[in-house]
């Protein structure tokens, strides 16, 4: 395993943890403010289903893009992330003026980071980081592609298998 894979997976795992927690907290707080917190479970289930739909669309695109140029899936992911960041910055809370939004969001994130890296949380974050990174390295970084390759599936075949599994998950959730 190369150091690039370890660093990349580690950064991805940390990023997912920050995004997930921050997004869910923001959505729940907004729902609570509007007295819609009873709809939380339904919203989370819909979010999971939509993420699986997006996954089942993105995986075959990535698999076929890889067969043309091995860096093309990374380029496409970067473009999608750039568009997503732009769209996310356009969302405005009804109580926050556009000119104050950045300062408030930045102070909220800094408060979250401060809490996350506080001395009380340090043992948990290190343990969580190691578990998530190990899982990501083993599950997506090594075992699944290696098993699929051993059965003779190339990038297109793997993308079709993963898409079929995602669609099956959508139907069950």
């Amino acid at each position: 395993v190369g150091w690039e894979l370890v660093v990349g997976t580690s950064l991805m795992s940390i990023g997912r943890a920050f995004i997930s927690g921050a997004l869910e907290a923001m959505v729940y707080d907004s729902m609570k403010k509007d007295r819609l917190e009873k709809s939380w479970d339904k919203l989370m289930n819909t979010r999971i289903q939509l993420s699986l739909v997006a996954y089942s669309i993105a995986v075959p695109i990535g698999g076929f893009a890889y067969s043309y140029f091995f860096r093309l899936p990374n380029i496409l992911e970067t473009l999608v992330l750039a568009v997503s960041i732009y769209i996310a910055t356009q969302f405005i809370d009804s109580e926050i003026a556009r000119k104050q939004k950045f300062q408030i969001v930045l102070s909220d994130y800094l408060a979250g980071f401060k809490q996350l890296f506080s001395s009380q949380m340090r043992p948990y974050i290190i343990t969580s980081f190691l578990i998530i990174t190990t899982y990501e390295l083993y599950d997506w970084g090594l075992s699944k592609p290696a098993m699929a390759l051993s059965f003779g599936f190339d990038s297109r075949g793997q993308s079709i298998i993963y898409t079929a599994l995602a669609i099956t998950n959508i139907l069950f959730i």
Side-chain angles (χ1 to χ4, degrees), residues 14 19 37-38 46 50 52-53 63 67 75 82 100 108 124 127 137 140 146-147 156-157 163 165 168 170-171:
I14 292 170
I19 290 169
E37 64 266 18
K38 292 178 184 175
T46 303
L50 290 175
L52 287 170
V53 168
S67 65
I75 294 167
Q100 296 173 340
D108 287 347
Y124 302 109
T127 304
L137 283 172
W140 287 104
M147 286 190 317
R156 289 182 184 185
T163 301
L165 291 172
T168 304
I170 291 167
L171 296 175

Side-chain angles (χ1 to χ4, degrees), residues 17-145:
F18 288 147
I19 290 169
S20 177
L23 175 64
E24 288 180 9
M26 184 179 73
V27 171
Y28 186 79
D29 289 346
S30 296
M31 291 179 76
K32 191 172 181 180
K33 189 178 357 176
D34 295 335
R35 298 186 178 152
L36 297 171
E37 64 266 18
K38 292 178 184 175
S39 303
W40 173 254
D41 291 334
K42 183 178 179 184
L43 179 68
M44 288 297 103
N45 287 334
T46 303
R47 181 188 67 85
I48 291 169
Q49 287 179 326
L50 290 175
S51 68
L52 287 170
V53 168
Y55 177 81
S56 65
I57 292 169
V59 167
I61 291 171
F64 288 103
Y66 182 88
S67 65
Y68 291 108
F69 177 56
F70 75 101
R71 295 284 187 219
L72 189 55
N74 302 100
I75 294 167
L76 293 174
E77 181 181 15
T78 302
L79 291 173
V80 168
L81 288 174
V83 170
S84 299
I85 289 170
Y86 173 75
I87 291 171
T89 59
Q90 301 307 305
F91 291 124
I92 301 173
D93 191 343
S94 58
E95 297 178 10
I96 299 174
R98 186 179 284 272
K99 63 183 177 181
Q100 296 173 340
K101 181 183 174 198
F102 181 76
Q103 290 86 9
I104 292 172
V105 170
L106 182 62
S107 67
D108 287 347
Y109 277 125
L110 291 175
F113 278 115
K114 185 177 179 182
Q115 175 67 28
L116 186 63
F117 292 107
S118 67
S119 60
Q120 297 92 352
M121 296 298 292
R122 203 167 293 136
Y124 302 109
I125 193 168
I126 292 170
T127 304
S128 299
F129 171 74
L130 290 174
I131 290 170
I132 290 171
T133 301
T134 303
Y135 169 77
E136 290 286 334
L137 283 172
Y138 178 76
D139 190 43
W140 287 104
L142 303 172
S143 67
K144 287 186 179 179

